[in-house]
Amino acid sequence: MLKKRFLEVCCSSPEDVLEAILGGASRAELCADLSIGGITPPEEWIRKALDMSLRLTGRNFNVNVLIRPRGGDFVFNEAEIEEMLSSIRLCKSLGVNAVVIGCLDAKGDVDMVAMRRLVAEARPMQVTFHRAFDVCHDPLNAFDDILALGCDRLLTSGQAADAYAGRELIAELVRRAGGRLRVMAGCGVRPSNIAAIEKATGVFEFHSSSHGPSGVTDRDVVAAMVNK
């Protein structure tokens, strides 16, 4: 019997979530406008993804939602933070599994004031700190801040162009976490390199858009990464 990897699929539509489920993924991250790094998806998409997963699986499939009001940097003003808080409240009311967030200050450090507000609003949902981490100027200090916030998970490429290139930092973060949060390897994760990333880093969770030839999430690509 095949063992399964824990794969979170980055989905830029409800239809992508369907492909992720049918391919055997463990979780989906729903966002819009992946071409600019992803922003908060519309409420209609969130509802559709949750309803569809319930019909297909008989349970609330683990749908995480990206909370990001715009593309560009991760330094947000008060109006943008209020928008994020509102989006988090919506997700909580709909039964979303987790929100995916990240705020930095102008120096490239984690914005602890903004993040404490967002994390507090999100509970009891889980919280993933996204790849804003990968542009922090001091990754180990940023990691300690993320731990202090009580985030459940960190998505990172190890501050490199892809997760395999960043494998040494990812492995160091896994050691530094000591089980206090999950480090999830993401960016450029494909069937051809996922086993190598797994071996080099010791991570247990992977994040990938799992695109096929058509440029959207493909259940066969998902299955190729899920099944060891």
Side-chain angles (χ1 to χ4, degrees):
M1 182 176 177
L2 291 174
K3 294 177 66 177
K4 289 185 66 175
R5 289 189 182 91
F6 193 107
L7 179 68
E8 174 184 279
V9 177
C10 180
C11 298
S12 53
S13 71
E15 291 72 27
D16 282 356
V17 176
L18 172 62
E19 288 294 304
I21 294 171
L22 294 176
S26 297
R27 188 169 61 226
E29 182 204 292
L30 183 63
C31 66
D33 287 339
L34 194 56
S35 63
I36 59 170
I39 59 173
T40 308
E43 178 180 349
E44 178 186 359
W45 287 17
I46 301 171
R47 289 183 180 275
K48 185 175 181 180
L50 292 172
D51 290 345
M52 180 177 59
S53 67
L54 183 60
R55 292 198 308 271
L56 281 173
T57 67
R59 60 182 175 85
N60 187 0
F61 180 74
N62 293 328
V63 176
N64 294 3
V65 175
L66 177 65
I67 306 296
R68 187 183 178 204
R70 56 163 173 78
D73 64 32
F74 302 101
V75 182
F76 299 109
N77 61 35
E78 180 60 27
E80 291 168 334
I81 292 169
E82 288 291 341
E83 182 180 343
M84 295 166 79
L85 289 166
S86 177
S87 297
I88 289 170
R89 285 191 287 270
L90 171 65
C91 288
K92 188 157 50 174
S93 73
L94 295 177
V96 165
N97 177 65
V99 289
V100 183
I101 54 180
C103 300
L104 306 181
D105 63 24
K107 297 181 294 183
D109 295 318
V110 175
D111 185 338
M112 296 295 281
V113 174
M115 282 299 302
R116 286 191 185 102
R117 293 170 65 189
L118 298 177
V119 171
E121 189 65 58
R123 297 306 187 193
M125 292 186 294
Q126 291 191 2
V127 173
T128 297
F129 195 101
H130 58 50
R131 291 189 60 223
F133 172 83
D134 288 324
V135 295
C136 288
H137 79 93
D138 183 336
L140 297 184
N141 182 67
F143 187 73
D144 289 344
D145 284 342
I146 292 165
L147 280 173
L149 288 165
C151 293
D152 302 283
R153 186 173 295 103
L154 170 65
L155 169 62
T156 180
S157 65
Q159 294 205 325
D162 59 67
Y164 184 74
R167 61 194 181 276
E168 290 186 6
L169 177 57
I170 295 174
E172 171 59 26
L173 297 176
V174 171
R175 290 190 292 270
R176 198 176 185 91
R180 291 173 289 174
L181 95 172
R182 281 292 177 95
V183 178
M184 178 167 56
C187 187
V189 177
R190 299 293 294 172
S192 59
N193 64 14
I194 191 169
I197 296 170
E198 184 176 45
K199 181 177 180 180
T201 63
V203 299
F204 295 101
E205 296 188 10
F206 300 87
H207 174 96
S208 171
S209 59
S210 305
H211 285 171
S214 62
V216 297
T217 299
D218 186 297
R219 69 189 72 175
D220 293 331
V221 177
V222 174
M225 286 193 281
V226 165
N227 297 314
K228 293 190 178 185

